[in-house]
Amino acid sequence: MARIRTTVDGLVYEDDVEPRMLLVQYLRERLGKTGTVIGCDTSNCGACTVHLDGLSVKSCSVLAVQANGSEVLTVEGLERDGQLHPVQQAFHDNHALQCGYCTPGMIMQSIDLLGDNPDPSEQEVREGIEGNLCRCTGYQNIVRAVQDAAQKMKPGAHASTSSSAAAPVAGGGA
Amino acid sequence: MIPASFDYVRPTTVDEAVQALVDGGEDAKIMAGGQSFIPVLRLRMGDPSLVIDLGGIPELRGVREDGDQIVVGAMTTHHEVTRDDLLARHVALIAEATKTVADFQVRHRGTLGGALAHADPAGDLAAPTLALDAELVIVGQNGERRVPAADFFEDYFTTAIGPGEILTAIRFPKYTGWGARYEKFNRVAQAWSIVAVAATVKVDSGTITDARIGLTNMAGTPVRARAVESALVGQSMSEETVRAAAQAAAEGTSPTSDADAGSDYREHLARVLTGRAVLAAAG
Amino acid sequence: MTTTDNPPVQEIGRDRRRKEDRRLITGRTRWTDNQAITGLLHISIVRSPFAHAEIKGIDTSAAKQVPGVVGVYTAADIGADAVQLPCAWPITKDMKSPQRPALAGSRVNFAGEGVAVVVARSAAIAKDAAELVEVDYDELEPVLDMEAALADGATLVHPELGTNENAQWVFDSGEAGSGGSAAEAIAAAEKADDQVVVRRRFRQQRLVPVFMEPRSTVVDPTGEQLTMWSATQVPHILKTMLALTLGLPEHKLRVIAPDVGGGFGGKIAVAPEEVVTLLVAQKLGKPVKWTETRSESLLTAHHGRDQIQDLAVAVTKDGQIKALDVKLLADMGAYLGLVGPGVPILGAFMFNAIYKIPAYRFDCRNVFTTKTLTDAYRGAGRPEATFGIERMMDEVAVELGMEPMELRKKNWISHEEFPFTTVSTLTYDTGNYEAATEQAMTMFDYDGLRREQQQRRQRGDVKQLGIGISTFTEMCGLAPSRVLGSLDYGAGGWETSSIRMLPTGKVECVVGTSGHGQGHETAFSQIVADKLGVGFDDVEILHGDTQSSYRGLDTYGSRSLAVGGIAIVKAAEKVVEKARPIAAHMLEASEDDLEFTAGKFSVKGTDKGVGIADVALAVFAAHDMPEGVEPDIDAHATFDPENFSYPHGTHLCAVEVDTETGFVQLYKYVCVDDVGTVINPLIVEGQVHGGLAQGIAQALFEEAAYDESGTLLSGTLVDYTLPSAADLISFDTANTTTPSTTNPLGVKGVGEAGTIASTPAVVNAVLDAVRQYGVSDIDMPTTPYRVWTAINSAKGTSGRGDEADVASPGAGLGSTASDISKGDTQGGHL
């Protein structure tokens, strides 16, 4: 067992974990953060995407012990005072989800992408989410949603999620 | 799926890491970014007793200039490589190739050193490292040694890193002003390269004055397309000359056959993609 | 009293954003694997690495020693070997049906079949222990090739059946009286000077549905009712089948499909793992969870498609089709799934498609192999048929030197001819193929792209353009019960809804369908809102729990709206009729003087009225009811359709083929679908997008391949290559509308349309690009390697003789055979 201390969605946690425990398991099974899901065992699907110290990662390919001392942001930590993050809102507005299983990972990766590139072209969005698989939407409305969110986030602050200080208020434009 | 149990240490210096590796014996494994390693553990295709995580060693991270070389710490992430100004200026080929590795999330965690030590023949960073005549810095209990890339990649998933040794840095010569292109060919965006070509060329007033070309997945190790390089040098830059030179791309390769490609197809792709890579690099 | 002062706007047809999104985008979800019950145990299933083997012995002793392990069971230990998992569709009276156990007892018949189960405190411990279970196998020869499996002396998957043939199912329009004899028509055509017979063999590769949420089941046996949560499309069928299969009292079972992350047919099942979880939970008296890994899912959840299609078309030289003959071999895999044997048979009704074909024969042989079983996958039988006929139309066009759309026009049912009874005996109620096609051709700029194609050919571009057509129809709204009865299906095809009028004016609508991503809560709320004149947000759709929704036949076959939606309409009508006498009483008026509009009963010619919510409250109080009227306006209705519905559409695809590498890049995709009345255009568009992606993926990317020992090669998502966003393009979609006359909403169903239509459009486009080099077919998926190999071998084949003038379907637009045969000009690029 290893002792880890993490900040997840703004709250501090301390736990003993087996070294083999994956970050996604820790989030789901120990913290009850079941909004983040597991879709594969080869890091292809991206459903488990969260932000670790401000960068998107596949939480199935990070050990919980590796998150010791880090800040984690999940889809459950995006809302601010009951307001959806602009990317969440855009997913709803543009019908960018059907079954919703890939959605948490898609949203987290899309926020990361917009932090990096606030005004992506269609092709840049497609490449920016190429690590996230969706089986329902054909991606078209997801691409639309990300571009829509980019427009809505423009007037405000940059969607800076690449600095850990910004977590858990990723996006900031809300 | 969940990995089998293992012990875990996170040393803070290279010396500690080497000591842990020596103490851990042959069932101890080094973890760099973990982006290939953790999936392997999850599929239970690997079963180490001890995992030594290099993520806590600051000296292994970062890019710096050292005389006529650019030194990249082994634990520098792909993301950092693609954003680094020194690399963009002096070793554009490695940055170009790194942009094609997996996806954003994986590039945020995965490392140059980890990818090279893994030595997957379909991995995208070995061929440019070979083409660029990089030196790989390996540290063990007896100190540091530098291995030329040409001697580093020994076979499928096998490198010159010995027992009790750790890859700590990659030293690239400067290719300031050279054009670069990594031409990757795969079935879908997420798939591994069927074949890829790493090319960097120097063009002076319409003449190719120097060229370096490495091939991905054309053998168990990356392959240098030296015949193409020599055919290019001194030629005036044109589609015709480049394509003619590229016909030699498959010389000295020994590609495998699988469902995605027969060896003849891989050889053909090597020729086509080499032509395209060189043209784009020179463009 | 509350009244509806502002009658709501018309909800049907409105692009409502979905109700279900809020939870899903904030992570407030209830996937089965989220279930955490105190004392929950976890299982891991020990699976066979061999495709075909005798089990000689199983040693569980080491596994039992692992701390935290509660039990390790072989099939016999929990009676799993004696279970007969159900097949609900015995397609013929003499169909050969093997026993399908929940765990294999003495013999395994596909790689991945379960042979033992470990129960432990955690999933990790269960997996640790499962690796210590020692199984002694005696390997048998695998059975992998369908044609070899049917040959004399073939190794038998199930020796006790005496054959590898599950069943043969034949339809002959000559015998059925719905048309002529295809055999006679083809024989006549072979002798006639003015006719040709075109024969082709197509391969439908094996696919995996790959729903994003891996399957998961939790069984809690501690209550009076045993409760199963499962990631299933079919909670009602699962409940009844578990009762029948395991001899459990049905009223002691409750099945819940909570949030379910996609299905695409892949979660229409009574899965062995569901049964094993239940048996273990019963044995231990403790709640138990099974959640599969992705590799486990790819290996063991049912696969789809996998057919060999031998087709023959007799056609006059001016393009009039005289006969169609279809011979199929369909790979069942090792066992029969819930509806597996019937899947290819659904295609029997669809091979004739939108065309007037005077003589038709369909002959399908289902074959057992030692592979994962096949069953429904999005479209189920209809994509196979549509692929066959739409590929064939292009082949016929090439043979005749006709423009491929002209050939289609010449043979399709014109809009004046509806209703039209087809050669396969279905009656298409409505449709307008001309309208959809015209709009699609305009959106696509068909003529412009044909010109671009010609220019690229003339220039000898490395990237050649190909254009593919698919004009399709499908049968939706499964299904009229009498039709299912005639096909020996084990159940009906009706659907049920109940509407509960709550005292505060809110409405609960219980449905028997079980949505898992389709947006039912939104679309059904729109229907209820319109029919009862209540607010969209005042309606709650309840589904997926057999305790609240006790009657239903679940979600598949584009039936939820076309059948389930009509049950809602019927229930709403009953609510209004039950409320009418009470409203009359409240208004002191005669029932005959009342009209119900926008949620309000009004006395004709006056401004007197009461809202439906007022009636609901009055019924709740029940202080003053009319004589003999029960204080209840809730209603329940079941709808059994008289006919299927028949969406159709025209799909046009352009691809760029890199002739140097064989890489196929989508260039443009346009589709115009007629899905009848649209309840929510946003949802319809989303369904089409997703359907297209899956159909395109069959054409270009996906294949479940086995090696010669019967091991699945594409056992992870590294090898089973789903397209990502970077591999697809934006599609241009639109609708034409001819309302269905088979149901009161005029709806047709849209869930499968994109998948059914798109595959042949893409493959036709790929071939259209490379036919100029002499290529006539490429197996799916049309990978770069296959495309390159096809170009290379066609060009390497000299003396193609009479095929030297091979024409492209685009030949009608200004090209000539001699232009196209200049394939050699491309040689420099290869």
Side-chain angles (χ1 to χ4, degrees):
Chain A
M1 288 289 175
R3 189 84 175 156
I4 62 167
R5 182 186 167 92
T6 56
T7 303
V8 181
D9 295 338
L11 290 183
V12 177
Y13 298 87
E14 267 192 24
D15 276 298
D16 291 320
V17 298
E18 274 191 278
R20 64 164 157 172
M21 178 171 261
L22 306 170
L23 177 58
V24 67
Q25 273 181 284
Y26 176 68
L27 294 171
R28 290 177 55 79
E29 296 169 18
R30 299 293 282 278
L31 305 188
K33 296 266 178 192
T34 50
T36 302
V37 297
I38 304 170
C40 74
D41 38 22
T42 49
S43 90
N44 286 83
C45 82
C48 64
T49 299
V50 301
H51 294 185
L52 182 64
D53 293 330
L55 289 176
S56 62
V57 301
K58 293 178 175 178
S59 61
C60 73
S61 299
V62 178
L63 301 174
V65 286
Q66 292 180 285
N68 183 31
S70 291
E71 288 198 43
V72 178
L73 177 66
T74 81
V75 73
E76 296 178 53
L78 292 177
E79 272 182 287
R80 217 73 203 135
D81 303 324
Q83 285 283 104
L84 295 175
H85 185 283
V87 172
Q88 289 176 307
Q89 185 66 45
F91 268 59
H92 174 62
D93 291 344
N94 292 280
H95 186 34
L97 62 150
Q98 290 180 30
C99 85
Y101 199 78
C102 76
T103 307
M106 278 290 182
I107 287 175
M108 297 312 291
Q109 179 51 29
S110 299
I111 292 171
D112 183 277
L113 169 68
L114 293 177
D116 203 45
N117 180 354
D119 192 14
S121 67
E122 174 178 341
Q123 195 53 33
E124 285 170 334
V125 175
R126 288 183 178 275
E127 285 167 12
I129 58 172
E130 74 182 10
N132 295 71
L133 296 174
C134 170
R135 196 61 158 164
C136 295
T137 64
Y139 303 103
Q140 187 156 334
N141 287 346
I142 294 175
V143 175
R144 257 184 215 164
V146 176
Q147 291 194 297
D148 181 32
Q151 293 311 308
K152 302 238 162 81
M153 286 161 74
K154 260 186 182 169
H158 281 293
S160 168
T161 56
S162 52
S163 130
S164 63
V169 200
Chain B
M1 205 189 282
I2 304 147
S5 283
F6 51 79
D7 290 327
Y8 171 87
V9 291
R10 189 177 168 92
T12 54
T13 66
V14 171
D15 289 347
E16 278 175 37
V18 169
Q19 192 59 51
L21 190 55
V22 170
D23 294 347
E26 61 182 23
D27 287 337
K29 287 279 179 287
I30 294 286
M31 178 167 72
Q35 299 305 284
S36 294
F37 186 64
I38 292 173
V40 163
L41 296 184
R42 292 183 70 198
L43 294 170
R44 298 203 176 196
M45 291 158 64
D47 190 12
S49 58
L50 173 67
V51 171
I52 301 161
D53 179 1
L54 301 186
I57 306 176
E59 62 191 283
L60 289 181
R61 206 151 167 172
V63 181
R64 63 187 171 84
E65 195 165 7
D66 182 14
D68 56 1
Q69 288 189 316
I70 301 295
V71 185
V72 183
M75 286 295 288
T76 307
T77 65
H78 302 316
H79 177 70
E80 289 158 352
V81 167
T82 61
R83 306 304 165 101
D84 187 82
D85 290 338
L86 282 173
L87 289 172
R89 193 146 22 108
H90 301 297
V91 203
L93 181 61
I94 197 72
E96 287 300 306
T98 303
K99 285 176 192 165
T100 74
V101 172
D103 51 58
F104 274 80
Q105 293 100 310
V106 169
R107 293 198 292 273
H108 285 150
R109 297 288 297 173
T111 64
L112 177 59
L116 297 179
H118 188 46
D120 188 323
D124 291 305
L125 301 180
T129 300
L130 177 71
L132 292 164
D133 286 323
E135 283 183 330
L136 294 103
V137 184
I138 297 170
V139 174
Q141 275 189 311
N142 300 325
E144 179 183 303
R145 63 193 180 102
R146 295 186 185 180
V147 178
D151 299 331
F152 180 78
F153 301 102
E154 297 183 341
D155 205 342
Y156 294 92
F157 302 100
T158 307
T159 69
I161 303 172
E165 289 188 322
I166 291 171
L167 175 65
T168 58
I170 301 90
R171 304 180 73 96
F172 293 101
K174 289 181 182 170
Y175 293 85
T176 319
W178 290 46
R181 172 71 182 183
Y182 188 69
E183 190 74 27
K184 179 168 178 170
F185 190 81
N186 51 4
R187 281 193 52 204
V188 292
Q190 289 202 344
W192 293 85
S193 290
I194 293 174
V195 173
V197 177
T200 190
V201 296
K202 195 174 184 194
V203 182
D204 258 343
S205 17
T207 301
I208 300 171
T209 57
D210 213 343
R212 302 277 189 282
I213 297 164
L215 309 176
T216 297
N217 214 12
M218 287 300 291
T221 62
V223 178
R224 188 78 176 263
R226 290 194 187 274
V228 181
E229 292 175 6
S230 33
L232 284 170
V233 173
Q235 297 284 328
S236 66
M237 182 57 215
S238 77
E239 179 166 353
E240 204 178 1
T241 54
V242 169
R243 285 188 178 265
Q247 291 309 306
E251 282 178 22
T253 65
S254 49
T256 55
S257 287
D258 54 36
D260 285 337
S263 56
D264 59 336
Y265 180 53
R266 282 203 162 89
E267 289 173 4
H268 167 78
L269 283 177
R271 291 188 283 268
V272 171
L273 300 176
T274 296
R276 292 181 182 184
V278 170
L279 285 169
Chain C
M1 269 192 178
T2 56
T3 53
T4 313
D5 291 328
N6 297 312
V9 296
Q10 169 92 11
E11 285 289 345
I12 290 177
R14 199 174 165 193
D15 61 345
R16 275 281 188 189
R17 269 52 183 174
R18 300 199 319 169
K19 288 186 161 188
E20 40 278 83
D21 287 355
R22 180 81 191 200
R23 294 189 308 103
L24 299 171
I25 57 179
T26 55
R28 199 156 41 83
T29 45
R30 293 174 305 145
W31 313 111
T32 298
D33 186 58
N34 292 4
Q35 283 286 329
I37 305 171
T38 305
L40 183 66
L41 298 173
H42 302 260
I43 65 177
S44 176
I45 293 174
V46 180
R47 297 184 181 278
S48 168
F50 300 113
H52 207 197
E54 301 279 355
I55 301 169
K56 290 300 177 192
I58 300 179
D59 181 356
T60 60
S61 53
K64 283 175 174 161
Q65 299 306 311
V66 176
V69 168
V70 177
V72 184
Y73 307 116
T74 64
D77 293 338
I78 52 171
D81 53 344
V83 170
Q84 164 61 303
L85 291 169
C87 171
W89 202 340
I91 54 170
T92 60
K93 303 292 180 210
D94 59 349
M95 175 178 99
K96 297 283 193 298
S97 185
Q99 186 220 346
R100 182 184 174 205
L103 290 174
S106 58
R107 195 180 69 231
V108 291
N109 294 311
F110 68 96
E113 185 164 14
V115 297
V117 57
V118 178
V119 194
R121 280 179 60 186
S122 75
I125 295 172
K127 179 65 186 168
D128 294 344
E131 298 208 318
L132 299 176
V133 174
E134 297 274 351
V135 186
D136 184 15
Y137 295 99
D138 245 7
E139 267 192 271
L140 302 169
E141 195 187 351
V143 180
L144 302 169
D145 179 86
M146 282 192 276
E147 290 177 300
L150 292 176
D152 287 343
T155 298
L156 297 179
V157 181
H158 303 282
E160 66 276 15
L161 299 182
T163 173
N164 285 322
E165 184 176 285
N166 152 248
Q168 182 173 22
W169 195 95
V170 177
F171 172 84
D172 189 305
S173 64
E175 290 165 21
S178 58
S181 159
E184 287 171 16
I186 288 170
E190 275 170 341
K191 290 182 195 130
D193 292 339
D194 63 339
Q195 293 188 37
V196 292
V197 178
V198 182
R199 298 178 198 276
R200 292 290 185 273
R201 165 170 279 209
F202 300 132
R203 188 80 170 91
Q204 280 277 323
Q205 81 270 38
R206 183 174 271 256
L207 300 173
V208 188
V210 198
F211 31 75
M212 288 314 298
E213 180 209 15
R215 297 174 302 163
S216 178
T217 296
V218 174
V219 175
D220 185 354
T222 60
E224 197 49 44
Q225 277 187 322
L226 181 146
T227 302
M228 172 184 283
W229 290 263
S230 201
T232 180
Q233 293 175 237
V234 290
H236 296 90
I237 291 173
L238 181 56
K239 179 190 175 195
T240 302
M241 285 296 177
L242 286 173
L244 292 170
T245 302
L246 301 175
L248 298 170
E250 193 177 359
H251 63 300
K252 294 293 186 185
L253 285 174
R254 176 186 182 187
V255 175
I256 300 171
D259 287 337
V260 176
F264 316 111
K267 289 174 179 169
I268 304 173
V270 178
E273 295 85 357
E274 287 169 328
V275 170
V276 168
T277 308
L278 190 156
L279 293 174
V280 170
Q282 273 190 319
K283 184 175 183 85
L284 297 172
K286 287 285 189 185
V288 174
K289 178 194 282 186
W290 169 74
T291 298
E292 70 182 353
T293 64
R294 177 58 63 187
S295 39
E296 211 175 1
S297 188
L298 290 165
L299 187 62
T300 67
H302 74 242
H303 294 175
R305 313 275 198 273
D306 205 341
Q307 292 183 355
I308 296 170
Q309 307 180 326
D310 284 305
L311 308 182
V313 168
V315 58
T316 63
K317 285 183 175 168
D318 63 352
Q320 205 72 50
I321 293 175
K322 306 301 282 183
L324 170 65
D325 183 76
V326 176
K327 285 194 181 65
L328 301 184
L329 295 179
D331 192 342
M332 296 290 100
Y335 298 104
L336 299 178
L338 190 61
V339 298
V343 167
I345 309 310
L346 283 171
F349 302 97
M350 283 292 117
F351 266 97
N352 52 290
I354 64 170
Y355 307 112
K356 293 177 282 189
I357 297 176
Y360 171 52
R361 183 180 164 88
F362 173 93
D363 177 338
C364 177
R365 298 172 79 191
N366 288 347
V367 186
F368 291 113
T369 59
T370 54
K371 296 181 187 174
T372 300
L373 64 85
T374 62
D375 206 314
Y377 171 49
R378 201 169 191 173
R382 292 154 289 164
E384 296 90 317
T386 302
F387 180 83
I389 187 66
E390 287 305 297
R391 278 285 295 110
M392 206 62 186
M393 292 306 280
D394 264 31
E395 293 297 314
V396 170
V398 169
E399 290 284 335
L400 300 179
M402 275 183 84
E403 214 288 336
M405 189 63 91
E406 292 309 313
L407 177 72
R408 286 169 170 85
K409 286 179 180 173
K410 190 154 191 160
N411 287 281
W412 74 33
I413 302 156
S414 73
H415 70 276
E416 299 97 347
E417 293 175 283
F418 289 93
F420 184 90
T421 299
T422 72
V423 73
S424 62
T425 75
L426 294 179
T427 301
Y428 296 173
D429 58 340
T430 60
N432 189 331
Y433 309 139
E434 299 94 318
T437 299
E438 190 182 338
Q439 189 172 336
M441 302 270 276
T442 304
M443 286 167 62
F444 190 69
D445 186 18
Y446 187 87
D447 294 344
L449 281 171
R450 283 286 184 210
R451 280 193 297 277
E452 183 180 340
Q453 178 181 43
Q454 267 322 111
Q455 287 159 4
R456 290 195 193 204
R457 282 184 192 174
Q458 280 155 7
R459 285 196 303 263
D461 285 4
V462 170
K463 289 183 179 173
Q464 289 289 308
L465 204 61
I467 294 168
I469 299 171
S470 170
T471 51
F472 85 107
T473 188
E474 58 155 327
M475 50 200 279
C476 269
L478 304 187
S481 297
R482 69 178 165 79
V483 174
L484 293 178
S486 73
L487 293 172
D488 301 306
Y489 184 68
W494 44 263
E495 197 45 80
T496 286
S497 174
S498 302
I499 292 179
R500 305 170 182 162
M501 303 300 296
L502 304 181
T504 56
K506 310 296 185 193
V507 181
E508 289 174 345
C509 174
V510 183
V511 296
T513 54
S514 189
H516 43 278
Q518 292 85 349
H520 288 176
E521 291 164 42
T522 301
F524 291 170
S525 292
Q526 290 177 266
I527 295 172
V528 173
D530 269 8
K531 295 300 165 189
L532 293 178
V534 297
F536 170 79
D537 290 321
D538 292 334
V539 182
E540 192 69 21
I541 304 297
L542 304 178
H543 65 89
D545 180 347
T546 61
Q547 198 170 69
S548 55
S549 163
Y550 73 91
R551 195 168 196 274
L553 287 169
D554 308 314
T555 287
Y556 44 85
S558 303
R559 69 188 305 274
S560 294
L561 177 60
V563 186
I566 310 310
I568 295 171
V569 171
K570 300 284 183 193
E573 288 169 357
K574 284 188 182 176
V575 167
V576 171
E577 288 320 301
K578 285 179 83 171
R580 186 179 298 277
I582 302 163
H585 182 70
M586 292 166 76
L587 292 165
E588 297 177 333
S590 158
E591 277 184 59
D592 300 337
D593 294 337
L594 294 190
E595 57 186 8
F596 182 74
T597 46
K600 192 171 175 182
F601 289 100
S602 319
V603 181
K604 288 174 199 159
T606 75
D607 58 357
K608 280 174 64 179
V610 290
I612 191 97
D614 302 321
V615 180
L617 183 61
V619 163
F620 175 69
H623 294 163
D624 181 16
M625 300 297 293
E627 193 66 29
V629 174
E630 67 172 331
D632 181 359
I633 59 170
D634 296 355
H636 179 90
T638 294
F639 175 70
D640 196 340
E642 277 296 303
N643 191 357
F644 299 95
S645 66
Y646 303 95
H648 69 81
T650 296
H651 288 226
L652 300 172
C653 176
V655 299
E656 271 183 338
V657 176
D658 183 330
T659 54
E660 287 184 336
T661 65
F663 190 86
V664 177
Q665 172 66 48
L666 292 172
Y667 188 67
K668 191 171 191 177
Y669 198 101
V670 165
C671 63
V672 177
D673 286 293
D674 184 338
V675 298
T677 304
V678 171
I679 305 297
N680 183 322
L682 207 62
I683 290 176
V684 163
E685 188 193 27
Q687 285 289 322
V688 172
H689 289 167
L692 292 177
Q694 285 182 21
I696 290 167
Q698 176 174 13
L700 297 179
F701 305 123
E702 295 177 16
E703 178 166 28
Y706 285 82
D707 70 10
E708 66 283 356
S709 66
T711 301
L712 181 66
L713 294 171
S714 35
T716 71
L717 289 183
V718 174
D719 309 296
Y720 192 85
T721 42
L722 298 188
S724 74
D727 301 299
L728 296 172
I729 59 170
S730 285
F731 313 118
D732 295 329
T733 66
N735 292 109
T736 52
T737 302
T738 53
S740 171
T741 57
T742 65
N743 66 69
L745 285 175
V747 297
K748 293 183 178 176
V750 69
E752 298 161 296
T755 303
I756 292 170
S758 56
T759 311
V762 176
V763 175
N764 280 339
V766 173
L767 288 167
D768 186 47
V770 299
R771 231 183 254 282
Q772 56 182 315
Y773 309 117
V775 176
S776 55
D777 195 22
I778 302 172
D779 276 349
M780 293 188 291
T782 55
T783 63
Y785 183 35
R786 285 182 181 162
V787 173
W788 176 80
T789 304
I791 296 173
N792 248 17
S793 52
K795 293 180 74 175
T797 311
S798 57
R800 290 183 61 88
D802 57 351
E803 288 186 27
D805 65 345
V806 62
S808 153
L813 280 155
S815 70
T816 66
S818 60
D819 280 335
I820 293 159
S821 65
K822 287 178 188 163
D824 286 344
T825 60
Q826 302 288 323
H829 301 295
L830 292 159

